[in-house]
Short mmCIF file of all heavy atoms in Angstrom, two decimals:
data_model
loop_
_atom_site.label_atom_id
_atom_site.label_comp_id
_atom_site.label_asym_id
_atom_site.label_seq_id
_atom_site.Cartn_x
_atom_site.Cartn_y
_atom_site.Cartn_z
N LEU A 254 -9.19 6.97 37.64
CA LEU A 254 -8.57 5.77 38.17
C LEU A 254 -7.05 5.86 38.14
O LEU A 254 -6.38 5.55 39.13
CB LEU A 254 -9.05 4.54 37.38
CG LEU A 254 -8.51 3.19 37.85
CD1 LEU A 254 -8.86 2.94 39.32
CD2 LEU A 254 -9.06 2.08 36.96
N VAL A 255 -6.50 6.30 37.02
CA VAL A 255 -5.04 6.47 36.92
C VAL A 255 -4.56 7.44 37.99
O VAL A 255 -3.58 7.18 38.69
CB VAL A 255 -4.62 6.94 35.51
CG1 VAL A 255 -3.18 7.42 35.49
CG2 VAL A 255 -4.81 5.84 34.50
N ASN A 256 -5.25 8.56 38.11
CA ASN A 256 -4.84 9.56 39.10
C ASN A 256 -4.91 9.00 40.52
O ASN A 256 -4.03 9.26 41.34
CB ASN A 256 -5.68 10.83 38.97
CG ASN A 256 -5.28 11.65 37.77
OD1 ASN A 256 -4.15 11.54 37.27
ND2 ASN A 256 -6.19 12.48 37.28
N LYS A 257 -5.94 8.22 40.81
CA LYS A 257 -6.04 7.62 42.15
C LYS A 257 -4.87 6.67 42.39
O LYS A 257 -4.23 6.71 43.45
CB LYS A 257 -7.37 6.90 42.33
CG LYS A 257 -7.46 6.25 43.72
CD LYS A 257 -8.78 5.59 43.99
CE LYS A 257 -8.72 5.04 45.42
NZ LYS A 257 -9.98 4.56 45.86
N ARG A 258 -4.59 5.84 41.41
CA ARG A 258 -3.48 4.89 41.56
C ARG A 258 -2.13 5.60 41.68
O ARG A 258 -1.21 5.08 42.30
CB ARG A 258 -3.46 3.92 40.38
CG ARG A 258 -4.59 2.92 40.40
CD ARG A 258 -4.47 1.96 39.26
NE ARG A 258 -5.57 1.00 39.21
CZ ARG A 258 -5.69 0.08 38.26
NH1 ARG A 258 -4.77 -0.02 37.31
NH2 ARG A 258 -6.72 -0.75 38.28
N GLU A 259 -2.03 6.79 41.08
CA GLU A 259 -0.79 7.56 41.14
C GLU A 259 -0.72 8.40 42.42
O GLU A 259 0.26 9.10 42.65
CB GLU A 259 -0.68 8.48 39.92
CG GLU A 259 -0.67 7.76 38.59
CD GLU A 259 0.65 7.07 38.28
OE1 GLU A 259 1.70 7.61 38.64
OE2 GLU A 259 0.60 5.98 37.69
N GLY A 260 -1.78 8.37 43.23
CA GLY A 260 -1.80 9.13 44.47
C GLY A 260 -2.08 10.61 44.29
O GLY A 260 -1.77 11.43 45.16
N ILE A 261 -2.71 10.96 43.17
CA ILE A 261 -3.04 12.36 42.87
C ILE A 261 -4.45 12.65 43.37
O ILE A 261 -5.41 11.98 42.99
CB ILE A 261 -2.96 12.65 41.35
CG1 ILE A 261 -1.61 12.25 40.77
CG2 ILE A 261 -3.30 14.10 41.06
CD1 ILE A 261 -0.44 13.03 41.25
N ARG A 262 -4.56 13.66 44.20
CA ARG A 262 -5.86 14.07 44.75
C ARG A 262 -6.64 14.85 43.70
O ARG A 262 -6.10 15.71 43.00
CB ARG A 262 -5.63 14.93 45.99
CG ARG A 262 -6.89 15.25 46.78
CD ARG A 262 -6.60 16.09 48.02
NE ARG A 262 -6.21 17.45 47.69
CZ ARG A 262 -7.06 18.42 47.33
NH1 ARG A 262 -8.33 18.17 47.27
NH2 ARG A 262 -6.62 19.63 47.08
N GLU A 263 -7.93 14.54 43.58
CA GLU A 263 -8.78 15.29 42.66
C GLU A 263 -9.04 16.69 43.19
O GLU A 263 -9.20 16.89 44.41
CB GLU A 263 -10.13 14.56 42.47
CG GLU A 263 -9.98 13.24 41.75
CD GLU A 263 -11.28 12.50 41.57
OE1 GLU A 263 -12.25 12.75 42.30
OE2 GLU A 263 -11.30 11.64 40.69
N GLU A 264 -9.07 17.64 42.28
CA GLU A 264 -9.36 19.03 42.64
C GLU A 264 -10.70 19.43 42.07
O GLU A 264 -11.03 19.11 40.94
CB GLU A 264 -8.29 19.95 42.07
CG GLU A 264 -6.88 19.70 42.59
CD GLU A 264 -5.88 20.64 41.91
OE1 GLU A 264 -6.06 21.87 42.01
OE2 GLU A 264 -4.97 20.11 41.27
N ASN A 265 -11.46 20.16 42.86
CA ASN A 265 -12.75 20.66 42.42
C ASN A 265 -12.61 22.11 41.97
O ASN A 265 -11.82 22.86 42.52
CB ASN A 265 -13.78 20.59 43.56
CG ASN A 265 -13.91 19.17 44.08
OD1 ASN A 265 -13.44 18.87 45.17
ND2 ASN A 265 -14.51 18.30 43.29
N PRO A 266 -13.40 22.51 40.96
CA PRO A 266 -13.35 23.90 40.56
C PRO A 266 -13.89 24.81 41.68
O PRO A 266 -14.72 24.39 42.48
CB PRO A 266 -14.26 23.96 39.33
CG PRO A 266 -15.05 22.71 39.33
CD PRO A 266 -14.34 21.73 40.19
N GLU A 267 -13.39 26.02 41.69
CA GLU A 267 -13.86 27.02 42.66
C GLU A 267 -14.75 28.00 41.93
O GLU A 267 -14.37 28.55 40.91
CB GLU A 267 -12.66 27.73 43.28
CG GLU A 267 -11.75 26.78 44.05
CD GLU A 267 -10.46 27.44 44.52
OE1 GLU A 267 -10.30 28.67 44.33
OE2 GLU A 267 -9.61 26.71 45.05
N TYR A 268 -15.94 28.19 42.45
CA TYR A 268 -16.92 29.08 41.79
C TYR A 268 -17.03 30.37 42.58
O TYR A 268 -16.92 30.42 43.75
CB TYR A 268 -18.28 28.40 41.70
CG TYR A 268 -18.27 27.17 40.84
CD1 TYR A 268 -18.23 25.88 41.40
CD2 TYR A 268 -18.30 27.27 39.45
CE1 TYR A 268 -18.23 24.75 40.59
CE2 TYR A 268 -18.29 26.14 38.66
CZ TYR A 268 -18.25 24.88 39.23
OH TYR A 268 -18.26 23.76 38.44
#
Side-chain angles (χ1 to χ4, degrees):
L254 182 58
V255 167
N256 285 337
K257 179 177 182 171
R258 289 183 182 178
E259 300 285 324
I261 306 294
R262 189 179 70 78
E263 293 179 339
E264 298 178 58
N265 303 107
E267 298 173 5
Y268 296 101

